């Protein structure tokens, strides 16, 4: 089978590479010429463990190709995935400009049956718009070509994307009523996963679209929930990690996403919760739990800034903070909506100098916040710092040589926002410490 994946970002590139690994013939399309040229040279534009090998192997095998020429890729494909970005607009709604542009390009191009699959995260009803945009373009040129539309939301996690695509918890496929042909084609495409007994959720197109938002909003709510518990812990002198463990061992609750910290970030949770709240309001309903999760998350970030300012004895002006971790989570270079970035900005505004280090996200972060000093490693960042702030729990921050850190720093203070240290160890090493919910 021939497929085209339009939009070669995190989702598009992983999707294209993994389908080619299944033996499908894949063309990944992107309008950014430099990105496609880099991929053709074998350079992977994102940091995603394992992706480079899969891409190289399948390019060599002739199953994976990259192009800026959407028309040609669309012509040859039976299934066309839309995997472009769906960024938030000012008011929190979803900007569908890129999805519309691709849908119209498809409508201008197709002259044989295709299944058009939305993989981007899009508000409920977008697939109807995709159908309308394609149909409008076909009508404009008097073409009667038939096509199906489907929704196949993506649940992969950055940093673990390959495993998530190859061994997903489930695959969700939404199609229009009675579209057995499209379902059969989608099943054929995902056959290796069917054989692995991956659960498939076949449903109507609107439910598939909503399933993605419901899942992300629920996970974001779990994070906000435990963060709210962490505030109570700080009041009573409790331990949020013990509480999270006590909760998480209950299988009805589950252990995941119960880590207190600086709040959720990344390219998905903040925008998807905003979008869900927005389209619910458009439907005349307040998605109250999601609205509350968003508010708790915003407050949590600012609480982290207060914590750091507190560690600087309430006098941040002229002090230096060593910020460890800039990406929104470990194993990715993605800094979109990273709590680290908003914390750094808030500290800069209060007159704090920032010495920052991240194993993967330095280049992007440096472009975004040029006022901070980028350091070559974590110990370089600690030089003369008044406080060490661990924002992202990269593995290399779990075993810092505290004696060496103490020698390098102006003051032995650590604010760890991810609860990856034991208080006893820090006290024994002569550090003052601040954590979340303990
Ligand atoms: N990143 C994630 O972890 C993740 C997980 C699940 C779902 N999603 C969703 O998947 C979608 C894509 O996310 P992403 O992180 O891959 O975005 P991204 O910004 O990394 O990539 C989008 C790509 O689309 C390209 N593009 C835009 N318009 C185009 C056009 N007309 N023709 C060809 N290419 C075009 C851009 O140049 C860019 O390379 C979003 O809706 C997102 O919410 C993302």
């Amino acid at each position: 089978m021939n497929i085209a994946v339009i939009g070669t970002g995190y989702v598009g590139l992983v999707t294209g590479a993994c389908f080619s690994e299944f033996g499908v013939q894949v063309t990944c399309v992107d309008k950014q010429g430099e990105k496609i040229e880099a991929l053709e040279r074998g350079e992977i534009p994102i940091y995603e463990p394992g992706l480079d090998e899969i891409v190289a192997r399948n390019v060599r095998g002739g199953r994976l190709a990259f192009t800026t020429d959407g028309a040609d890729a669309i012509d040859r494909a039976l299934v066309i995935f839309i995997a472009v970005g769906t960024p938030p607009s000012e008011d929190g709604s979803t900007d569908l400009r890129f999805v519309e542009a691709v849908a119209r390009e498809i409508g201008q191009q197709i002259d044989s049956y295709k299944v058009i699959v939305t993989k981007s995260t899009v508000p409920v009803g977008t697939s109807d718009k995709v159908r309308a945009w394609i149909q409008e373009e076909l009508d404009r040129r008097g073409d009667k070509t038939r096509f199906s539309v489907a929704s196949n939301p993506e649940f992969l996690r950055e940093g673990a994307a390959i495993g998530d695509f190859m061994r997903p918890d489930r695959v969700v496929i939404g199609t229009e009523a009675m579209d057995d042909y499209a379902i059969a084609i989608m099943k054929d495409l995902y056959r290796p996963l069917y054989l692995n007994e991956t659960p498939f959720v076949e449903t109507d197109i609107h439910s598939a679209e909503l399933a993605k938002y419901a899942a992300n909003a629920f996970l974001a709510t779990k994070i906000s929930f435990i963060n709210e518990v962490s505030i109570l812990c700080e009041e009573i002198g409790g331990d949020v990690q013990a509480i999270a463990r006590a909760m998480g061992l209950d299988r009805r609750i589950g252990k995941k996403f119960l880590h207190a910290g600086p709040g959720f970030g990344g390219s998905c949770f903040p925008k998807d919760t905003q979008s869900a709240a927005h389209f619910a309001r458009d439907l005349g309903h307040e998605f109250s739990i999601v609205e509350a999760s968003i508010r708790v998350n915003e407050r949590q970030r600012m609480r982290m800034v207060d914590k750091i300012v507190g560690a600087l004895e309430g006098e941040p002006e002229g002090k230096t903070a060593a910020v460890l971790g800039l990406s929104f989570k470990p194993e990715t270079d993605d800094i979109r909506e990273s709590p680290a970035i908003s914390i750094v900005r808030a500290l800069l505004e209060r007159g704090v100098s920032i010495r920052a280090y991240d194993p993967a996200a330095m280049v992007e972060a440096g472009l975004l916040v040029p006022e901070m000093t980028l350091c070559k490693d974590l110990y370089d960042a600690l030089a003369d710092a008044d406080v060490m702030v661990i924002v992202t729990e990269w593995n290399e921050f779990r075993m810092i040589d505290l004696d060496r850190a103490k020698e390098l720093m102006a003051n032995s203070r650590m604010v760890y926002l991810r609860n990856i240290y034991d208080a006893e160890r820090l006290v024994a090493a002569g550090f003052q410490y601040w954590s979340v919910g303990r």
Side-chain angles (χ1 to χ4, degrees):
M1 192 187 301
N2 251 298
I3 69 167
V5 180
I6 307 191
T8 309
Y10 274 95
V11 168
L13 183 55
V14 170
T15 301
C18 291
F19 274 128
S20 68
E21 185 80 357
F22 291 166
V24 175
Q25 205 67 34
V26 181
T27 309
C28 283
V29 184
D30 205 283
K31 63 179 182 184
Q32 288 182 47
E34 326 84 78
K35 192 178 260 191
I36 294 300
E37 281 163 25
L39 283 161
E40 283 179 328
R41 286 194 302 272
E43 295 163 20
I44 308 295
I46 51 171
Y47 175 82
E48 185 59 50
L51 183 58
D52 48 354
E53 288 156 41
I54 295 189
V55 169
R57 184 164 52 243
N58 288 288
V59 168
R60 261 197 322 273
R63 288 179 298 274
L64 178 62
F66 302 100
T67 182
T68 50
D69 182 2
D72 186 46
I74 290 167
D75 271 346
R76 280 185 286 121
L78 172 61
V79 180
I80 303 165
F81 283 93
I82 303 179
V84 294
T86 47
S89 310
E90 285 275 302
D91 62 358
S93 64
T94 299
D95 180 352
L96 290 174
R97 229 171 340 146
F98 303 118
V99 175
E100 177 173 355
V102 174
R104 290 197 182 279
E105 188 182 356
I106 293 169
Q108 285 153 15
Q109 191 59 33
I110 56 173
D111 55 10
S112 61
Y113 174 80
K114 315 273 176 197
V115 185
I116 322 297
V117 186
T118 310
K119 204 167 235 328
S120 300
T121 304
V122 291
V124 180
T126 302
S127 296
D128 304 338
K129 291 183 180 167
V130 167
R131 168 166 284 290
W133 288 322
I134 296 172
Q135 194 58 54
E136 252 176 64
E137 296 302 324
L138 284 168
D139 292 346
R140 218 187 290 276
R141 53 192 176 91
D143 194 305
K144 299 263 183 282
T145 299
R146 270 184 349 99
F147 64 95
S148 296
V149 292
S151 164
N152 172 217
E154 184 50 62
F155 296 94
L156 63 77
R157 293 163 301 166
E158 289 178 15
I162 306 295
D164 285 350
F165 196 94
M166 297 293 199
R167 291 176 298 282
D169 290 337
R170 75 311 209 180
V171 173
V172 176
I173 300 176
T175 46
E176 293 171 305
M178 320 291 270
D179 196 346
D180 296 341
Y181 194 47
I183 293 177
I185 290 171
M186 291 299 287
K187 279 189 175 167
D188 199 24
L189 187 56
Y190 274 111
R191 196 171 31 188
L193 295 186
Y194 259 95
L195 299 177
N196 273 352
E197 298 186 354
T198 300
F200 276 68
V201 180
E202 285 169 33
T203 181
D204 64 277
I205 215 157
H206 293 164
S207 300
E209 290 170 332
L210 186 53
K212 170 69 189 176
Y213 283 98
N216 272 5
F218 190 82
L219 293 173
T221 301
K222 264 186 116 174
I223 295 173
S224 279
F225 188 92
I226 199 69
N227 280 338
E228 199 137 52
V229 172
S230 79
I231 299 174
L232 298 178
C233 282
E234 287 173 15
E235 290 300 321
I236 60 164
D239 180 351
V240 74
Q241 273 188 302
I243 294 169
R245 197 167 139 73
M247 287 172 65
L249 286 170
D250 184 329
R251 272 177 297 224
R252 292 169 305 177
I253 297 175
K255 291 182 214 163
K256 305 270 175 71
F257 287 78
L258 283 181
H259 301 289
F264 56 79
S267 67
C268 293
F269 284 6
K271 92 170 162 62
D272 293 349
T273 46
Q274 289 285 355
S275 176
H278 196 276
F279 68 68
R281 255 179 270 133
D282 280 350
L283 292 168
H285 173 73
E286 188 182 330
F287 205 153
S288 318
I289 288 182
V290 174
E291 304 247 9
S293 299
I294 296 168
R295 280 199 306 278
V296 169
N297 200 53
E298 284 161 1
R299 185 183 61 193
Q300 188 71 0
R301 286 192 185 191
M302 286 309 109
R303 282 180 61 86
M304 300 301 108
V305 175
D306 293 345
K307 222 180 252 299
I308 299 162
V309 169
L312 294 170
E313 293 161 334
E315 291 177 7
E317 181 84 40
K319 301 278 173 54
T320 301
V323 173
L324 304 182
L326 296 167
S327 56
F328 85 93
K329 65 175 183 180
E331 300 299 329
T332 178
D333 60 354
D334 199 339
I335 54 165
R336 286 179 283 184
E337 292 287 331
S338 170
I341 301 296
S342 30
I343 290 169
V344 161
R345 285 196 166 128
L347 291 175
L348 285 166
E349 269 171 30
R350 288 162 178 75
V352 179
S353 301
I354 304 291
R355 295 180 62 76
Y357 171 69
D358 186 283
M362 301 274 269
V363 178
E364 291 293 323
L367 291 172
L368 198 64
V369 192
E371 300 90 337
M372 62 185 172
T373 306
L374 298 177
C375 300
K376 67 177 188 326
D377 59 33
L378 79 93
Y379 296 104
D380 183 25
L382 295 177
D384 290 327
D386 296 289
V387 63
M388 168 187 343
V389 186
I390 302 180
V391 191
T392 314
E393 68 280 33
W394 283 92
N395 277 337
E396 66 183 271
F397 302 152
R398 290 174 189 268
M399 293 291 280
I400 295 174
D401 178 343
L402 294 174
D403 293 333
R404 187 174 167 199
K406 201 172 163 192
E407 267 170 39
L408 290 167
M409 295 176 70
N411 288 297
S412 342
R413 299 174 184 149
M414 186 198 275
V415 180
Y416 55 110
L417 305 183
R418 300 288 185 170
N419 287 339
I420 54 173
Y421 276 85
D422 282 333
E424 297 80 44
R425 195 171 145 217
L426 294 172
V427 172
F431 267 80
Q432 277 183 285
Y433 70 91
W434 291 259
S435 60
V436 179
R438 292 160 93 195

